[in-house]
Amino acid sequence: MYKGIIRPLLFLMGPETVHQLVVALIKFFFAIPLVKQLVRAIYTTRDARLRREVFGLAFENPVGLAAGFDKNASFYRQFAAFGFSFVEVGTATPVGQPGNARPRSFRLPADKALINRMGFNNRGARAIAERLSKGRTNMIIGGNIGKNTSTPNELAVEDYADAFLALYDHVDYFVVNVSCPNISDLSHLQDREQLAGILSRLSTIRAGLVRKKPILVKISPDLNWGQIDDVLDLMEEFGMDGIVATNTTITREGLLTESEKVEKIGQGGLSGKPIRARSTEIIGYIYQKTAGKLPIIGVGGIMNPEDAVEKLTAGASLVQVYTGFVYEGPGLVKKINKALLRN
Ligand SMILES: Cc1cc2nc3c(=O)[nH]c(=O)nc-3n(C[C@H](O)[C@H](O)[C@H](O)COP(=O)(O)O)c2cc1C
C-alpha cells in the first residue's frame, strides 16, 4: 500500500513538506485511543533472538532511526510503534538555529536517494533536553551533537561540550557529529588535531560525572583509509565507545539521475542507495582494523533487509535507516527484523 498509493501521493510534494505532514498526521492519528497499539502490533517484531547488548546498552532489536529524522525529539515516541529499538535525536547544537534556506532537501527517485543541505536546523540542545525529559519511552535514545553554524572550528570544542552537558541526563548514548557536509568546514573536525581536542574534552567531562554514557563518533564516507585510521587511533586514545559509519557523501558518482538535475540541486549530502556500498566498505574496514572490538552502527543506503544483513555481516552491531524509510515506508523495520530471524 505504501509504495502503490501513499508514496506516489507524498512524492507530489517536496521532501520537507512531506516530512512535516507525515509527522503531523502520525501525531494526530496516534492520539486516537488504540491506534498506536494497533500500529505497534502490526509493525513490531518481538523476539529474544533480536536482542543486542552493545556498548553496555540492551537493544530490543538492531534497527534504529538515524539522526536528522527527529532532530528535535518531537515524535520519537510515536515512531517507536514502527518497530525501531532506538532513535538518534539531533543533530543538536547549543543554540537553536533555523538551518539553511529552503528548498534544502531533494529527491532523486531514479537513484532511490536524497540530497539534503538542511544545515543543522534544530531548536537547541536545552529545548531538546526539555522535550526528552517529558517523554517516557522504552526506546534507547542517542543524542547526536554538533556545533552552531556561526561558531568557528577553533571554538567548536566549546559547542560540543555545551550540547553534551545539556543532553547528558536525557539520552542513553552520544554521537559526536563531525561529518555533516552541510556546515562549512565541519568535516575538518575529523582531522586529527581538531578531533583530539573535542574527544579529549568530552572524555574529561564524562570522567567527572556519576554515570558514564557511551560516546560514539559519526564519520563521513568521504574519508580515505589514512583519515579513518587517525579517527580510530583517537577513539582508542580517548576511550570512545563506538563509531557511526556513515554520514552522507558530497560525491555524485554513478548516479542515474540526469546530471543537469543533479547540478541544479547543487550542494548537499547524498544519502540512500548510492552510498550503500561505500558505507559497507568502511564498516568492513573498521571491523578488520579493530578486530571487531569497536562497536559499529552501520548506516547508509539500507533500502531492504538484504542491505541491513550486508552491514551486519560486514561488522556492524546495529543499523540505522533514514532514506530507506522514506522510499520503502514504515514496513522496512519489520522486514529487516523478520529477515534477521530467518538468517
Ligand atoms: C534530510 C536529512 C537530514 C539529516 N540530518 C542529519 C543530522 O542532523 N545529523 C546527522 O548526523 N546525520 C543526518 N543525516 C544523515 C543520516 O543520519 C544518515 O547518516 C545518512 O542519511 C545515511 O543513511 P541513509 O542512506 O539511510 O539515509 C541526515 C540525512 C538526511 C537525508
Side-chain angles (χ1 to χ4, degrees):
M1 185 165 94
Y2 180 79
K3 281 197 250 177
I5 303 170
I6 299 175
R7 191 174 78 181
L9 288 175
L10 293 178
F11 276 22
L12 293 173
M13 294 171 270
E16 200 171 346
T17 311
V18 170
H19 192 86
Q20 285 161 348
L21 177 71
V22 167
V23 166
L25 285 175
I26 286 173
K27 278 188 174 176
F28 175 79
F29 283 111
F30 280 27
I32 301 169
L34 296 180
V35 171
K36 192 172 165 191
Q37 287 82 340
L38 184 69
V39 173
R40 187 181 292 136
I42 295 170
Y43 287 110
T44 306
T45 318
R46 281 192 158 266
D47 192 303
R49 288 171 294 163
L50 292 171
R51 293 196 187 127
R52 301 281 188 279
E53 175 98 16
V54 189
F55 38 79
L57 300 175
F59 294 78
E60 269 299 311
N61 67 65
V63 190
L65 185 60
F69 202 96
D70 189 6
K71 287 177 187 278
N72 294 310
S74 47
F75 49 86
Y76 63 93
R77 278 174 299 149
Q78 284 88 342
F79 270 64
F82 293 121
F84 295 106
S85 74
F86 68 112
V87 60
E88 209 171 289
V89 302
T91 296
T93 55
V95 181
Q97 58 178 39
N100 292 323
R102 297 184 195 201
R104 51 193 179 177
S105 180
F106 309 85
R107 271 183 225 106
L108 277 59
D111 288 294
K112 289 204 169 174
L114 296 172
I115 290 178
N116 91 84
R117 51 169 174 273
M118 305 300 285
F120 288 175
N121 53 310
N122 79 107
R123 297 213 166 119
R126 274 167 201 82
I128 295 171
E130 166 93 21
R131 270 183 196 271
L132 289 168
S133 69
K134 289 190 180 134
R136 285 187 47 226
T137 173
N138 292 332
M139 262 179 145
I140 287 180
I141 312 281
N144 182 304
I145 53 173
K147 73 166 189 75
N148 277 111
T149 307
S150 57
T151 305
N153 273 2
E154 305 83 75
L155 303 177
V157 71
E158 298 307 324
D159 273 17
Y160 284 90
D162 192 346
F164 183 71
L165 278 168
L167 285 173
Y168 203 84
D169 291 334
H170 308 282
V171 300
D172 300 298
Y173 72 91
F174 280 95
V175 175
V176 180
N177 182 5
V178 278
S179 49
C180 174
N182 302 316
I183 306 291
S184 162
D185 288 339
L186 187 99
S187 56
H188 289 308
L189 297 177
Q190 291 168 118
D191 295 351
R192 206 179 176 104
E193 221 169 282
Q194 308 242 40
L195 187 59
I198 296 169
L199 300 187
S200 143
R201 181 66 178 278
L202 297 184
S203 71
T204 307
I205 295 175
R206 178 172 70 171
L209 297 169
V210 179
R211 264 190 75 195
K212 182 183 168 191
K213 298 207 171 166
I215 306 174
L216 288 75
V217 175
K218 184 165 181 178
I219 61 166
S220 161
D222 302 329
L223 294 183
N224 62 38
W225 302 126
Q227 291 171 314
I228 294 176
D229 289 346
D230 281 350
V231 173
L232 295 179
D233 283 350
L234 295 175
M235 305 281 301
E236 201 181 345
E237 184 178 342
F238 295 106
M240 297 291 113
D241 304 271
I243 198 146
V244 183
T246 65
N247 213 316
T248 56
T249 177
I250 57 167
T251 67
R252 300 286 187 264
E253 274 142 43
L255 295 180
L256 301 171
T257 307
E258 316 83 76
S259 51
E260 221 172 72
K261 180 176 171 184
V262 177
E263 267 164 39
K264 205 169 154 218
I265 289 171
Q267 288 186 340
L270 174 72
S271 61
K273 199 172 171 203
I275 71 166
R276 192 207 93 234
R278 176 65 183 153
S279 300
T280 305
E281 192 184 17
I282 290 179
I283 291 164
Y285 180 83
I286 295 170
Y287 187 81
Q288 298 291 329
K289 208 64 210 186
T290 58
K293 289 197 188 99
L294 186 71
I296 305 165
I297 300 183
V299 52
I302 296 178
M303 313 304 283
N304 54 46
E306 294 73 40
D307 297 340
V309 171
E310 179 191 78
K311 294 244 182 314
L312 295 165
T313 309
S317 301
L318 302 164
V319 293
Q320 289 175 327
V321 293
Y322 191 131
T323 309
F325 194 72
V326 172
Y327 277 91
E328 303 303 317
L332 179 60
V333 185
K334 182 172 187 166
K335 284 187 201 149
I336 294 173
N337 281 322
K338 287 273 177 215
L340 294 179
L341 289 174
R342 280 196 304 272
N343 263 302

